[in-house]
Amino acid sequence: MTSVDYYVVRDQDASSLAVTAQETTQGPWVTGMQHGGPPNALAVAAAERCVTEATGRTDLIAVRLASDFVGPVPVADLDVRTSVRRAARTAALVDVTVSAHGRECLAARVWFVRDADTSALAAPLPPAVELPTDAPGVDASFGYSESIEWRFVSGAMRRPGPAAAWARPRGELLRGHAWSGLSRAAVVADSGNGLSAELDWDEWGFLNVDLDIHLARPLEGEWVLLDARTTLGAHGSALATSTLSDVHGVVGTGNQTLVLAHR
């Protein structure tokens, strides 16, 4: 793998971003199709840039992502467009679309809240936990899986059932871009269905059509603990639910609607 970055910027302005996806975005299902983590993180980064450019404010924190895959995201040139739907004193909402070859692939909304001191209302954060140093990694090999450092606490990607793993990207989303709490959560949270798969990967597909992340506070540090489980439905769908934590404890949740189909 020549690069650990996910995208190379081709062009950008206040409301648009043109990038080229790298092989680190490659997903497990179809050659040439991205894993959902990188484009969702890209949407968050684009929204953060847009809201800063549009409002001039630096006190807005991204805390929620709601995204829908309206088509597969190819490992190719992508065009990202953003617009501020709402900019109020305490919150802002940004719409994001990711397209390839003139076709929309991902539609997302990112909510921001203004940074205010409410520490008197929240329980104090506990001391940081120590991460396992000899934990197993992911038992699969494709572009995205190799771009993440994995440390499993329970379960395994190819073993049916719930699983929990610490994860952090090995490189950058975009050269010179600083990971935010929500973009770091997004690049990992889309793996919930893979970590907690209840079905045989060789016989079944269980792709997600969406990703919904809520954070109670910004993630601290590089590592995200993804504690995931999948609930299978009887009508062709399933739900993957993940609890997201950093070294100080639970931060938020991630949910994915899955479509079940024989491969």
Side-chain angles (χ1 to χ4, degrees):
M1 191 169 295
T2 58
S3 171
V4 293
D5 298 340
Y6 289 110
Y7 301 100
V8 173
V9 176
R10 304 187 340 264
D11 193 16
Q12 59 185 330
D13 59 31
S15 62
S16 65
L17 179 66
V19 300
T20 299
Q22 304 299 288
E23 61 181 309
T24 44
T25 65
Q26 173 69 49
W29 300 107
V30 179
T31 300
M33 188 174 81
Q34 292 189 45
H35 184 278
N40 273 301
L42 180 65
V44 172
E48 291 169 335
R49 181 171 175 273
C50 172
V51 79
T52 299
E53 292 279 347
T55 67
R57 295 174 61 178
T58 58
D59 65 332
L60 293 170
I61 302 172
V63 294
R64 195 237 174 165
L65 168 71
S67 71
D68 296 292
F69 291 102
V70 294
V73 185
V75 182
D77 289 347
L78 301 179
D79 294 300
V80 185
R81 296 200 173 275
T82 55
S83 63
V84 177
R85 176 177 288 192
R86 182 189 179 195
R89 183 175 61 85
T90 58
L93 177 63
V94 176
D95 290 329
V96 185
T97 59
V98 179
S99 302
H101 311 303
R103 176 185 56 80
E104 187 177 339
C105 305
L106 182 72
R109 287 170 291 131
V110 180
W111 271 106
F112 297 79
V113 299
R114 57 97 171 87
D115 189 3
D117 185 4
T118 54
S119 56
L121 308 176
L125 292 180
V129 299
E130 294 207 7
L131 272 66
T133 57
D134 58 351
V138 69
D139 48 353
S141 180
F142 50 94
Y144 168 81
S145 71
E146 296 175 8
S147 77
I148 301 286
E149 183 177 354
W150 302 93
R151 297 184 187 180
F152 273 78
V153 176
S154 62
M157 186 170 173
R158 291 283 182 174
R159 186 190 310 161
W166 288 99
R168 67 173 174 182
R170 298 181 186 274
E172 298 181 327
L173 182 66
L174 305 163
R175 186 57 53 90
H177 170 268
W179 288 99
S180 68
L182 187 60
S183 63
R184 193 178 290 279
V187 80
V188 172
D190 197 79
S191 298
N193 59 327
L195 265 63
S196 65
E198 292 285 351
L199 300 171
D200 189 323
W201 283 74
D202 296 324
E203 296 184 16
W204 288 92
F206 36 91
L207 280 76
N208 56 303
V209 298
D210 61 6
L211 175 65
D212 199 350
I213 298 174
H214 291 82
L215 299 183
R217 59 175 175 83
L219 279 158
E220 293 192 19
E222 296 182 325
W223 290 91
V224 181
L225 177 62
L226 184 63
D227 190 347
R229 65 180 57 247
T230 293
T231 302
L232 299 176
H235 298 276
S237 63
L239 175 66
T241 302
S242 302
T243 299
L244 307 173
S245 303
D246 62 14
V247 293
H248 293 289
V250 174
V251 174
T253 60
N255 290 284
Q256 302 162 282
T257 304
L258 313 182
V259 175
L260 308 180
H262 281 288
R263 298 194 69 174

